[in-house]
Amino acid sequence: MTRSAPARLLVETREIDPVEDLLAYTDPSHPLVWQRRGDGMAGIGAPVTLVGGGHDETLGERWRAIAERAEIDDPLRIPGTGLVGFGALTFDRESSHASTIVVPGVVVGRRHGRSWITTARTADAPAPGPRAIGYGPHWSATLGPGSLSADGYMSAVRDGLAAIAASEVSKVVLARDLAGTVPAGADLRRLVRSLASGYPDTWAFAVDGLIGASPETLVTVEEGTVTARVLAGTAARGADPDADTAASLALATSTKDQDEHQFAVRSVLEALGAHTSALRASEQPFTLKLPNVWHLATDVEGRLSGAASALDLVAALHPTAAVAGTPTPRAIEVIRRLEPFDRGRYAGPVGWIDAAGSGEWAIALRCAQFDPGEAGEPIPLTAYAGAGIVAGSDPESELLETRVKFRPIVDALA
C-alpha cells in the first residue's frame, strides 16, 4: 500500500517571558506533557498524529518524511524547540494497542531559564495561540485488583522461576496490574503535577492517555551525543537513616541484583553498538536514591554514528533486559504466556523527537493508562508494576517489590 504524502506543516518558535506552570497550557482531559526538574514541554491540539500497530518500525521513516516537508522557523534552536512530536510506543510488537506520535498545535516549553512557544499548523489552518486553562477540582480514583491478583502474581513468579530452571531464560520481568476509575471530567493534569512534584528527578509524562513518572531514561540524543541510564535491581527505602543505609548497602552487595543489573547493561550496550562510536559505561553500578526505592544504576554514553535518529535508537534498544528479560525474545514469549493481559504502552518507550532526530526517551514505568470512556461516565484506568525474576528470586519478595513500585502512581491517584 502506498502512503499519501504527509501534511506540510508550518512551524514557528518564539521566545516568551518565563512560564511558571507549563501544565496550565495543556488539555485537562488529554494532557500532553514531558517534564523533569521543572523543565520540559506541554502541548495541546494535534494537527498531525502518527499511529502504528504495536511498535511500528515505520514510525521513524514516517517522522522523517514529516520533518523533511515541514517549514520551520526556529531562531532558538535549543532542545525541544522547532518541530516536536510526543510519542508513546507499545511494549510488545504484537500488542493490540497502538503506538502514537503526536505533533501538538501549540507547545509551551521551558529549559534552563528560557521559555518559548512553538506553533505547528497546515497552510490552510489559522495560527493557534496559547491559552492558560484553570484547574478543575481535586479528585481521587477508585482502584482495586486487576487481571492478576497478588496470589496470581506469586504463582506467575514461580512459573517464571521454572522457566529459568529449565534454561528457557536467564531473567524474565513479570508485571501485574491494578484497575480502577477516576470521576468523569477529571482534570488529569493534577495527576501529572502530583507525580512531578513528588518525584522531581523522574520524567513526568502524559501522552495519549498514558500518564506516569519514569526514573529510567531509555536514550537521549542531543547534538550527536547519545546517553542512557540503565536501572535494574531494586530495594525499598529504609524507615530511618540507619535502615536506609543498610538497604542501600544490601542492594549494592546483592549477587542476585548485581546479576540482574548486568543483564540489563549488556543488552543496552549490544543494542547501541551498531549505531554509536566511543560507547562506554561505568565499570560498577551506583545506587540511585528515589523517594520510595533504591535502584542499581549505570550511565552509558557514546557518539552517534551515521544518520540514525532517536527513534532509530529506540527501535534498536527496546525492549531492554531491564523490562523484558534475557534472552529478550524468549523472555517476551514467557511474558506473553504468564501475564494475563496486554501491557499496551506500559514498559514501552515514551518521549519526544525533533526535526533533527534528537530527543529524550524514557521507559514508561510508574504509570497508568487512561482509556476513553462514555461521555459523563467515570474514566477507566489500568496501572502496572513489575519485577525482574532471576534464579534465587523469592515470590513474596517480588510481590513486595511491585507494591513499592506501585506507590508513586497509587499515592498520586489517592
Side-chain angles (χ1 to χ4, degrees):
M1 182 178 69
T2 302
R3 293 185 185 275
S4 59
R8 181 175 180 82
L9 291 176
L10 307 180
V11 182
E12 181 180 272
T13 295
R14 293 291 182 266
E15 190 159 8
I16 59 176
D17 291 336
V19 173
E20 293 301 319
D21 184 10
L22 293 174
L23 296 180
Y25 294 90
T26 191
D27 188 329
S29 300
H30 302 90
L32 196 55
V33 181
W34 182 259
Q35 187 171 342
R36 188 184 189 193
R37 296 174 186 154
D39 284 355
M41 298 173 286
I44 194 168
V48 172
T49 299
L50 300 181
V51 179
H55 186 196
D56 189 339
E57 294 181 358
T58 70
L59 284 174
E61 64 183 67
R62 291 161 63 193
W63 173 256
R64 274 190 286 271
I66 288 174
E68 288 169 359
R69 285 178 56 83
E71 183 178 318
I72 302 171
D73 179 4
D74 176 18
L76 275 69
R77 296 187 178 277
I78 59 178
T81 62
L83 177 67
V84 169
F86 292 66
L89 313 183
T90 60
F91 168 78
D92 190 338
R93 283 174 168 80
E94 294 186 6
S95 173
S96 63
H97 297 259
S99 295
T100 58
I101 296 177
V102 180
V103 179
V106 178
V107 173
V108 176
R110 180 176 63 219
R111 191 179 183 100
H112 303 323
R114 302 179 73 181
S115 297
W116 68 88
I117 177 174
T118 297
T119 59
R121 62 183 179 91
T122 56
D124 58 350
R131 180 173 66 89
I133 303 171
Y135 286 89
H138 289 276
W139 51 265
S140 61
T142 61
L143 207 58
S147 304
L148 196 58
S149 67
D151 287 341
Y153 182 73
M154 288 192 289
S155 178
V157 171
R158 285 189 285 269
D159 289 340
L161 288 168
I164 292 169
S167 300
E168 188 175 353
V169 290
S170 301
K171 171 190 174 181
V172 62
V173 181
L174 295 176
R176 67 186 183 99
D177 59 333
L178 298 175
T181 61
V182 298
D187 189 335
L188 297 180
R189 297 174 302 172
R190 289 195 175 278
L191 175 59
V192 184
R193 186 161 70 173
S194 177
L195 291 167
S197 60
Y199 299 85
D201 290 327
T202 67
W203 297 110
F205 59 86
V207 182
D208 197 22
L210 183 70
I211 300 176
S214 176
E216 186 156 1
T217 304
L218 180 60
V219 67
T220 296
V221 180
E222 183 178 337
E223 296 181 349
T225 297
V226 178
T227 57
R229 172 166 286 182
V230 183
L231 304 184
T234 306
R237 295 286 304 276
D240 56 57
D242 288 342
D244 204 33
T245 299
S248 173
L249 181 61
L251 177 64
T253 56
S254 164
T255 301
K256 176 259 184 188
D257 287 291
Q258 289 282 349
D259 288 348
E260 179 186 344
H261 188 79
Q262 290 307 316
F263 283 137
V265 172
R266 282 198 295 270
S267 75
V268 169
L269 292 175
E270 289 169 3
L272 287 178
H275 301 281
T276 58
S277 60
L279 188 64
R280 60 186 184 274
S282 49
E283 291 186 9
Q284 294 293 327
F286 61 93
T287 50
L288 176 68
K289 181 170 67 174
L290 295 174
N292 62 321
V293 295
W294 289 98
H295 282 301
L296 289 180
T298 293
D299 287 335
V300 176
E301 183 174 330
R303 293 292 300 174
L304 194 65
S305 57
S309 71
L311 270 175
D312 295 321
L313 297 187
V314 164
L317 281 166
H318 179 74
T320 68
V323 292
T326 307
T328 300
R330 292 183 189 170
I332 294 291
E333 292 174 3
V334 174
I335 289 168
R336 290 171 182 159
R337 188 169 77 231
L338 299 183
E339 291 181 0
F341 51 79
D342 183 333
R343 290 187 180 186
R345 277 90 66 91
Y346 163 69
V350 60
W352 62 270
I353 186 167
D354 69 10
S358 296
E360 296 171 321
W361 291 80
I363 298 175
L365 304 173
R366 317 298 191 265
C367 61
Q369 177 69 50
F370 292 79
D371 296 319
E374 297 293 331
E377 294 295 320
I379 303 166
L381 73 97
T382 308
Y384 302 90
I389 314 303
V390 296
S393 289
D394 172 68
E396 287 192 18
S397 297
E398 302 304 332
L399 176 64
L400 176 61
E401 182 173 326
T402 65
R403 287 174 176 160
V404 171
K405 290 178 176 176
F406 267 127
R407 203 182 93 191
I409 191 72
V410 169
D411 287 353
L413 287 166

